[in-house]
Amino acid sequence: MKATINITLKSGVLDPQGKAIENALGQLNFSGVNSVRQGKLIEIDLSETDAAKAEASLTAMCEQLLANTVIENYDIQLDKSE
Amino acid sequence: MKATINITLKSGVLDPQGKAIENALGQLNFSGVNSVRQGKLIEIDLSETDAAKAEASLTAMCEQLLANTVIENYDIQLDKSE
């Protein structure tokens, strides 16, 4: 079963990478950009076929390794089509 | 209008960051992980309200700055709810 995990900075946490992209877009003459936030996208392919077990396992992975839950939120999307 | 851009490595391109996560998950005793790929997630808030114009602008941003189209794919998702 494949899953996609979106990890984003919590609102209020400074995002220098996003600011850098915002400035670079300004220098390339893209106007009307109000804000840019950069996060991480992790695609995991699990051999687990049960959706509930896969989700529990992915949540544990996020809590223990993938996300810094002090400053980041995570969102798990399971691809149930397979 | 808000948009989310997912930037992922093309298949076949080596992903050392993904491999590192895969190994770290193994060391934390998570079994059944077949593969991990890491990509980028960029959230942009544009003042443009027309979806077609916003998408054209975002495509140009991806081509010129956000994605390295030699090794990366990008996927633009517009949040049309606003």
Side-chain angles (χ1 to χ4, degrees):
Chain A
M1 178 168 283
K2 286 186 181 171
T4 305
I5 300 169
N6 291 335
I7 298 172
T8 49
L9 283 171
K10 290 185 179 175
S11 61
V13 178
L14 283 179
D15 180 4
Q17 225 175 343
K19 273 281 165 219
I21 295 173
E22 202 177 319
N23 292 340
L25 287 173
Q27 281 164 22
L28 289 170
N29 293 321
F30 287 105
S31 56
V33 178
N34 297 330
S35 82
V36 180
R37 305 277 287 171
Q38 172 153 11
K40 281 181 282 188
L41 175 92
I42 299 175
E43 293 171 328
I44 298 191
D45 186 7
L46 294 171
S47 38
E48 179 65 60
T49 51
D50 181 77
K53 282 185 193 165
E55 187 147 6
S57 173
L58 290 165
T59 303
M61 288 177 194
C62 286
E63 292 285 339
Q64 288 180 42
L65 178 74
L66 303 178
N68 176 354
T69 53
V70 177
I71 56 167
E72 290 171 331
N73 291 321
Y74 58 86
D75 172 44
I76 297 168
Q77 286 155 8
L78 281 177
D79 180 1
K80 289 172 182 162
S81 60
E82 289 169 59
Chain B
M1 176 168 281
K2 286 186 180 171
T4 305
I5 301 169
N6 291 334
I7 298 171
T8 49
L9 283 170
K10 289 185 178 174
S11 60
V13 178
L14 283 180
D15 180 5
Q17 224 174 346
K19 274 280 166 224
I21 295 173
E22 200 177 320
N23 292 340
L25 287 173
Q27 282 165 22
L28 289 171
N29 295 318
F30 287 106
S31 56
V33 178
N34 298 330
S35 81
V36 180
R37 304 277 287 171
Q38 173 154 8
K40 280 181 284 187
L41 174 92
I42 299 176
E43 293 170 328
I44 299 191
D45 185 6
L46 293 172
S47 38
E48 180 65 61
T49 51
D50 182 76
K53 282 185 194 165
E55 189 147 3
S57 173
L58 289 165
T59 304
M61 289 177 193
C62 286
E63 292 285 340
Q64 288 180 43
L65 178 75
L66 304 177
N68 176 353
T69 53
V70 177
I71 56 166
E72 291 171 330
N73 290 321
Y74 59 86
D75 173 43
I76 296 167
Q77 286 155 9
L78 282 177
D79 180 0
K80 289 174 183 160
S81 60
E82 290 172 59

